[in-house]
Amino acid sequence: MNWIILIIAGLFEVGFTSSLGKAKESTGTAMYLWYGAFGISLVVSMLLLMKATETLPLGTAYAVWTGIGAVGTALMGIILFNEPAHFWRLFFIATLIGSIVGLKAVSH
């Protein structure tokens, strides 16, 4: 169950980084709403990470959490912010995914 909580925490990390990007592009009320989404996502992500590390090894949990955030944020950058999606960028995103799966596989 804590692996599921950790995955959800990683998705909220993607939420708070994406919210920062959207806030940067926005003005007025929309900007403050995006900053609000950032704050809520940040708190939820941290609380879920804390919960997951009650039973998962801290180093593994943190690496998986940041990996999900890094991969998710890079993909959101490509999808939402028109960042480049060339071969090498996608290749290294794939290696991050492989590392996350590897960490999960060798954890008890």
Side-chain angles (χ1 to χ4, degrees):
M1 182 64 180
N2 281 325
W3 282 105
I4 294 169
I5 291 171
L6 184 61
I7 291 168
I8 294 168
L11 294 175
F12 273 97
E13 183 184 5
V14 175
F16 75 71
T17 56
S18 299
S19 295
L20 280 178
K22 294 301 278 184
K24 185 175 72 172
E25 293 179 345
S26 303
T27 59
T29 305
M31 177 183 68
Y32 294 113
L33 291 173
W34 282 114
Y35 281 129
F38 163 78
I40 292 167
S41 296
L42 177 66
V43 169
V44 171
S45 182
M46 292 297 160
L47 289 172
L48 292 173
L49 177 62
M50 287 171 34
K51 176 68 177 157
T53 58
E54 289 176 358
T55 58
L56 299 176
L58 180 61
T60 301
Y62 183 74
V64 169
W65 178 76
T66 57
I68 292 168
V71 168
T73 301
L75 292 175
M76 293 303 284
I78 292 168
I79 295 165
L80 290 179
F81 303 108
N82 298 318
E83 293 177 359
H86 52 75
F87 171 79
W88 287 111
R89 186 172 186 152
L90 297 175
F91 172 79
F92 287 115
I93 289 171
T95 62
L96 274 171
I97 293 168
S99 297
I100 293 166
V101 171
L103 279 171
K104 163 74 170 91
V106 300
S107 295
H108 302 355

